[in-house]
Amino acid sequence: RREPDKLNSNGPLRAVPSRHPASRRSPDVSRWARGTAAWDVLHNADAAFVEKVNDWLTGDGKLDSGYAVTQHRYRELALDHPVTLAIEQGLMLDEEDLSELFQMLPVHTRVAIRDMKADLEVFPQDIGVGISQVIPIIVGAIWQRSGILAVEQPELHIHPALQVALGDLFASELENNEGIYLLETHSEHLMLRFLRRIRETAEDDLPPGAPALKPEQVAVIYVQSTGQGVELTPLPISEEGEFLQRWPAGFFEERAEELF
């Protein structure tokens, strides 16, 4: 089984890969910091992994983004390759020799994005920045089977509807692996989805396909800078999906003030 490093960190600004990126077959932890390792994973992944990524990207009740990852594998013939030269010279090659020469050609992979609505294949540079930001998070959450995946601001540049769907992604993957997700977030939407799933799990009222989540699986720690240094305040959650003590400052309070 694949064993990733114990800690991979996905930074707040995930880089958009070049139009023709060169993937790396050996994992490089530092490339997760800018999200580029996720594209390496997609280049080398099998069809089942890509399908799972696309299920979260396009699935109804999930991110439903309208975009999907496409993975193309191909072989190239160099201009001086014997097959190319034979074709140019109008020579007939023995079928067995042709097959052997073909199998010797290295297999390359190209990863792109398909706009499902327009049925058009594009590169990550050609679409809204939100999709390029969220793909490394999806890939990392699915790929990290053990250890810790740290993600800074998973909500960056994405619509609130996608933010809550990320909550389900993390909750769902907790059921499938032994990893831990360390999320640094300012997203009420993400937090509210966790609280909702905890409440629905306790009440046995989960919507079809929604992941179960229990209070002991979620640790919320409020981080605040003070004159004496950084203060960490744990905020325990009840089975009813409610915080057992008042939020220290901000976050939910701004919403309440705007509404009332």
Side-chain angles (χ1 to χ4, degrees), residues 21 32 41 43 61 81 108 110 125 148 214 220 250:
W32 277 108
V41 170
H43 269 86
H81 191 276
H108 301 284
R110 180 171 62 85
Q125 301 87 347
I148 300 173
K214 297 180 179 180
V220 179

Side-chain angles (χ1 to χ4, degrees), residues 119-237:
D119 193 24
L120 179 68
E121 191 170 277
V122 297
F123 288 96
Q125 301 87 347
D126 305 322
I127 58 178
V129 69
I131 299 300
S132 66
Q133 293 296 294
V134 81
I135 285 177
I137 298 174
I138 297 172
V139 172
I142 297 172
W143 183 80
Q144 186 97 14
R145 313 309 295 173
S146 63
I148 300 173
L149 175 66
V151 183
E152 294 183 62
Q153 299 183 56
E155 71 275 10
L156 200 64
H157 292 301
I158 64 174
H159 190 279
L162 273 66
Q163 294 179 35
V164 296
L166 283 181
D168 279 349
L169 167 67
F170 292 121
S172 176
E173 289 306 307
L174 281 176
E175 298 177 340
N176 302 325
N177 60 45
E178 301 172 358
I180 296 173
Y181 301 117
L182 178 60
L183 310 177
E184 186 277 316
T185 182
H186 305 95
S187 172
E188 283 189 31
H189 307 288
L190 185 62
M191 189 63 63
L192 289 170
R193 175 51 57 95
F194 288 144
L195 297 179
R196 173 184 171 182
R197 293 303 183 223
I198 289 171
R199 181 178 68 253
E200 291 172 338
T201 299
E203 296 174 353
D204 195 21
D205 191 31
L206 283 166
L213 194 62
K214 297 180 179 180
E216 57 266 28
Q217 292 178 289
V218 181
V220 179
I221 300 175
Y222 182 84
V223 182
Q224 186 175 23
S225 179
T226 69
Q228 291 73 44
V230 176
E231 184 178 284
L232 305 180
T233 304
L235 300 173
I237 302 171

Side-chain angles (χ1 to χ4, degrees), residues 47-98:
F49 185 92
V50 175
E51 183 179 354
K52 188 170 183 180
V53 170
N54 282 334
D55 180 50
W56 277 103
L57 262 177
T58 66
D60 184 30
K62 296 182 179 178
L63 272 75
D64 195 16
S65 68
Y67 293 94
V69 171
T70 59
Q71 183 193 64
H72 300 288
R73 300 198 187 279
Y74 60 96
R75 289 184 168 94
E76 291 180 330
L77 278 174
L79 292 176
D80 60 350
H81 191 276
V83 174
T84 306
L85 296 175
I87 293 173
E88 288 181 343
Q89 297 169 16
L91 301 177
M92 297 293 293
L93 290 176
D94 179 84
E95 186 174 321
E96 186 174 333
D97 292 338
L98 182 60

